[in-house]
């Protein structure tokens, strides 16, 4: 050993102030269909523009959901791209114009697109020019010359346009006329239950902390039941307390459709799920998305963004305008489908779905209640209840892990374990200070002298008092005779 001249030596002791480490608050994992292949989750941050998000996740439902989350306030998202088993579909091409040329489309769409092909220069192949919009005409590409062979690949969409000239030889030179339009739409690829469960299996080997999982895309009872079991396994086997946010499928339009019938079926389906860590968003809206395009979407993406920016104990349904939890009409234009009124919202809310509403007297749209699909009379009916509980699980577990294989004095088992319990309680002190909980009690169960030598298990009991929440306000109003 190298010896040094004797002097004043300073040894730095770190960690004495007990500052909190990373907690996973607000961090989410999104699982959704995407053509991107990645062996690890793709990270999206809140400062990324739409073009950057699409560069990382493709023109996909997963990219759209990530953009909605950023729009809602998310700062960092872990995204798992899934090669969806069920391919998207294509509609027929509808033409509006006098040119004799035609357009067809082939391929497997990577997302739901509203495609408009607009002719901007007259001619046939290698002469005519066009522009393309993928969002119903909100924005168009630069002008493109019709290729010599007529085939044009729409990059990132999985689709190829095929321009065919007029069959009459004399008209081929003017097959496409300025102003001609061709329109068609596609549906997005859809993940099967197996696709989703395989992606959730990956999370067992994902070592970053996160708070919740968002399954992108409309779904129904069979997936909710399957995901419920996977969530429990993730918690009980892999020690990852995380709730799951799912999207209900949009009710089908039809002349004979009645939203009440749909809502009653949703109510019946809800009774078959009992899991405090499952939430289903049954709200849709016409949203001006981060890239400016206007689309009808499930609002779970916005919800996930609100969770990301909100402390665990706060409801994302707060209505004070200065807090910024509402969604203004220049962003969320209306709730969908037509007929999604207070009567429907009440059925869904009472059943236990997350809904949105507009309050008379307030300008914005708001999350109504953050209901979870919990058992009846559960203590954890709202997301804020579950988020606080899960944070306590995460943080006290990390503190307790430091005492695994620790040795104690068997002459004072109770005292030794109580000393360690005080360290396990440190995160709870921070949560009280941060007003995430109101108070707590922690104790080592009595009688360790009898059991500890047999099973070597430290048993700790924690009880905490949550914050209180104003769910409804009642005002007693009447006239009175007031004396001077």
């Amino acid at each position: 050993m190298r010896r040094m001249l004797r002097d004043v030596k300073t040894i730095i002791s770190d960690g004495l102030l007990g500052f909190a480490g990373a907690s996973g608050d607000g961090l989410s994992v999104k699982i959704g269909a995407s053509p991107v292949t990645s062996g690890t989750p793709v990270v999206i941050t809140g400062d990324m523009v739409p073009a950057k998000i699409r560069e990382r996740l493709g023109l996909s439902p997963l990219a759209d959901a990530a953009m909605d989350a950023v729009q809602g306030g998310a700062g960092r998202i872990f995204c798992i791209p899934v090669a969806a088993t069920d391919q998207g579909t294509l509609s027929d091409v509808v033409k509006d114009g006098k040119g004799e040329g035609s357009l067809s489309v082939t391929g497997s769409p990577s997302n739901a697109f509203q495609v408009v092909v607009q002719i901007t220069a007259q001619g046939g192949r290698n002469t005519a020019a066009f522009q393309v919009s993928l969002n119903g005409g909100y924005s168009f590409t630069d002008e493109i010359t019709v290729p010599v062979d007529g085939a044009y690949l729409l990059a990132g969409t999985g689709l190829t346009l095929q321009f065919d000239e007029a069959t009459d030889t004399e008209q081929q030179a003017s097959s496409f006329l300025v102003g001609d339009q061709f329109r068609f739409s596609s549906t997005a690829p859809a993940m099967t239950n197996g696709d989703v469960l395989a992606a959730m299996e990956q999370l067992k080997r994902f070592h970053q902390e996160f708070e919740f999982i968002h399954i992108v895309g409309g779904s129904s009872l069979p997936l909710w039941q399957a995901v419920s079991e996977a969530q429990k396994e993730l918690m009980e086997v892999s020690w990852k307390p995380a709730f799951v946010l799912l999207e209900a499928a949009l009710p089908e339009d039809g002349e004979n459709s009645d939203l009440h019938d749909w809502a009653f079926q949703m109510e019946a389906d809800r009774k078959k799920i009992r899991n405090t860590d499952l939430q289903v968003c049954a709200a849709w809206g016409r949203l001006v998305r981060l890239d400016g395009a206007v689309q009808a979407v499930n609002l779970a993406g916005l919800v996930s963004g609100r969770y990301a920016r909100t402390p665990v104990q706060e409801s994302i349904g707060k209505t004070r305008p200065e807090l910024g939890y509402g969604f203004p009409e220049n962003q969320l234009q209306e709730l969908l489908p037509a007929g999604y009124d207070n009567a429907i919202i009440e059925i869904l809310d009472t059943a236990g779905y997350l809904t949105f509403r507009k309050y008379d007297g307030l300008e914005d749209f708001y999350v109504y209640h953050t209901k979870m699909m919990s058992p009846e009379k559960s203590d954890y009916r709202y997301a804020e209840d579950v988020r606080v509980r899960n944070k306590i699980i995460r943080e006290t577990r990390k503190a307790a892990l430091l005492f695994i294989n620790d040795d104690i004095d068997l002459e004072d088992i109770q005292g030794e374990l109580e000393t360690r319990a005080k360290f396990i309680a440190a995160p709870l002190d921070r949560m009280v200070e941060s007003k995430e909980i109101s108070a707590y009690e922690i104790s080592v169960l009595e009688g360790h002298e009898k059991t500890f030598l047999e099973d070597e298990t430290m048993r700790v009991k924690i009880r905490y008092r949550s914050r209180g929440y104003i769910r409804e306000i009642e005002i007693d109003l009447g006239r009175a005779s007031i004396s001077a």
Side-chain angles (χ1 to χ4, degrees):
M1 177 187 297
R2 181 185 175 190
R3 295 187 61 84
M4 301 177 63
L5 295 177
R6 293 185 176 183
D7 206 315
V8 176
K9 183 170 62 175
T10 301
I11 300 173
I12 299 175
S13 295
D14 200 355
L16 300 182
L17 295 181
F19 290 121
S23 66
D25 291 3
L27 292 178
S28 69
V29 174
K30 288 193 187 299
I31 297 174
S34 169
V36 171
T37 301
S38 177
T40 58
V42 178
V43 178
I44 299 298
T45 58
D47 59 355
M48 289 183 180
V49 297
K52 183 65 175 179
I53 295 173
R54 287 180 172 136
E55 178 187 323
R56 295 177 68 81
L57 296 173
L59 298 176
S60 65
L62 183 57
D64 289 344
M67 286 193 295
D68 291 351
V70 168
Q71 189 171 354
R76 177 179 285 254
I77 313 161
F78 304 110
C79 296
I80 298 181
V82 175
T85 298
D86 293 342
Q87 296 185 350
T89 60
L90 293 169
S91 73
D92 293 333
V93 178
V94 176
K95 177 183 175 182
D96 180 12
K98 297 182 179 180
E100 295 297 322
S102 63
L103 178 75
S104 59
V105 59
T106 57
S108 178
S110 64
N111 204 349
F113 300 114
Q114 298 289 329
V115 182
V116 181
V117 179
Q118 186 167 279
I119 302 302
T120 56
Q122 179 177 324
R125 292 178 179 175
N126 205 33
T127 304
F130 65 97
Q131 292 177 307
V132 181
S133 171
L134 300 178
N135 49 31
Y138 172 76
S139 62
F140 283 87
T141 63
D142 293 336
E143 190 174 71
I144 305 161
T145 301
V146 175
V148 175
D149 62 357
Y152 181 79
L153 176 67
L154 287 175
T157 67
L159 303 177
T160 299
L161 304 178
Q162 179 63 47
F163 294 85
D164 291 319
E165 296 178 330
T167 53
D168 188 330
T169 305
E170 294 183 358
Q171 295 181 336
Q172 286 181 352
S174 58
S175 294
F176 302 101
L177 302 178
V178 175
D180 286 355
Q181 277 194 353
F182 301 88
R183 291 177 175 266
F184 66 91
S185 62
S186 68
T187 63
M191 298 183 294
T192 63
N193 292 4
D195 293 335
V196 173
L197 295 178
M200 289 189 69
E201 188 71 20
Q202 294 181 39
L203 294 178
K204 294 179 180 178
R205 302 179 295 277
F206 184 51
H207 299 301
Q208 293 276 0
E209 278 199 300
F210 58 92
E211 191 187 351
F212 65 98
I213 304 161
H214 175 197
I215 308 297
V216 177
S219 58
S220 56
L221 179 61
L223 179 62
W224 306 345
Q225 291 173 320
V227 166
S228 178
E229 294 305 310
Q231 182 277 326
K232 292 174 184 176
E233 184 176 344
L234 201 61
M235 167 62 191
E236 296 167 4
V237 177
S238 301
W239 302 104
K240 295 181 183 292
F243 71 91
V244 183
L245 172 63
L246 295 123
E247 305 176 10
L250 183 68
E252 294 183 3
D253 271 337
E255 293 182 2
N256 299 319
S257 64
D258 186 334
L259 276 186
H260 284 84
D261 292 337
W262 165 80
F264 292 140
Q265 183 59 54
M266 290 281 283
E267 182 181 54
D269 289 346
R270 161 67 180 93
K271 292 177 181 178
K272 299 174 184 177
I273 299 285
R274 294 178 180 84
N275 188 335
T276 61
D277 287 82
L278 217 65
Q279 183 174 71
V280 177
C281 179
W284 301 263
R286 196 173 308 283
L287 179 66
V288 181
R289 287 191 133 151
L290 196 62
D291 61 355
V294 180
Q295 291 179 287
V297 301
N298 186 288
L299 300 178
L302 292 182
V303 169
S304 70
R306 282 294 188 261
Y307 283 138
R309 56 164 274 195
T310 304
V312 292
Q313 79 281 5
E314 288 191 17
S315 169
I316 62 172
K318 282 189 171 182
T319 54
R320 287 161 54 190
E322 69 273 17
L323 298 178
Y325 285 98
F327 298 92
E329 288 187 351
N330 62 3
Q331 182 182 76
L332 179 55
Q333 296 179 340
E334 62 175 333
L335 297 181
L336 298 173
Y340 191 89
D341 56 19
N342 287 346
I344 299 298
I345 292 170
E346 183 178 5
I347 295 171
L348 297 173
D349 175 73
T350 302
Y353 292 94
L354 182 145
T355 55
F356 276 56
R357 68 171 291 188
K358 192 172 180 65
Y359 296 89
D360 291 341
L362 296 178
E363 294 183 356
D364 297 344
F365 291 96
Y366 291 89
V367 171
Y368 183 28
H369 288 142
T370 57
K371 291 287 185 71
M372 309 299 290
M373 307 199 90
S374 60
E376 190 176 357
K377 298 183 179 179
S378 170
D379 292 336
Y380 306 102
R381 294 173 295 161
Y382 298 90
E384 47 270 30
D385 299 323
V386 173
R387 296 182 71 195
V388 168
R389 182 204 65 192
N390 286 356
K391 179 169 183 176
I392 291 174
I393 294 171
R394 288 194 306 271
E395 296 305 300
T396 55
R397 179 174 183 268
K398 286 188 289 187
L401 281 173
L402 300 178
F403 298 109
I404 294 294
N405 291 321
D406 213 15
D407 57 282
I408 67 170
D409 184 353
L410 295 181
E411 292 297 316
D412 184 17
I413 295 176
Q414 193 73 19
E416 290 265 309
L417 297 182
E418 287 176 354
T419 298
R420 286 155 178 79
K422 293 178 182 178
F423 285 95
I424 294 173
L428 301 175
D429 290 328
R430 293 194 291 267
M431 291 183 72
V432 171
E433 184 178 352
S434 301
K435 297 185 178 181
E436 294 171 335
I437 58 176
S438 297
Y440 75 91
E441 294 178 353
I442 187 168
S443 60
V444 176
L445 298 188
E446 297 290 338
H448 267 78
E449 292 84 354
K450 300 177 182 179
T451 63
F452 187 80
L453 290 176
E454 297 176 4
D455 59 19
E456 299 178 309
T457 299
M458 176 180 176
R459 291 179 171 85
V460 177
K461 177 180 175 181
I462 295 175
R463 294 292 183 267
Y464 69 96
R465 182 174 298 167
S466 67
R467 303 282 291 177
Y469 300 94
I470 301 171
R471 306 293 182 190
E472 190 171 10
I473 297 173
E474 182 178 293
I475 298 175
D476 185 344
L477 175 66
R479 296 183 63 183
S481 175
I482 302 175
S483 58

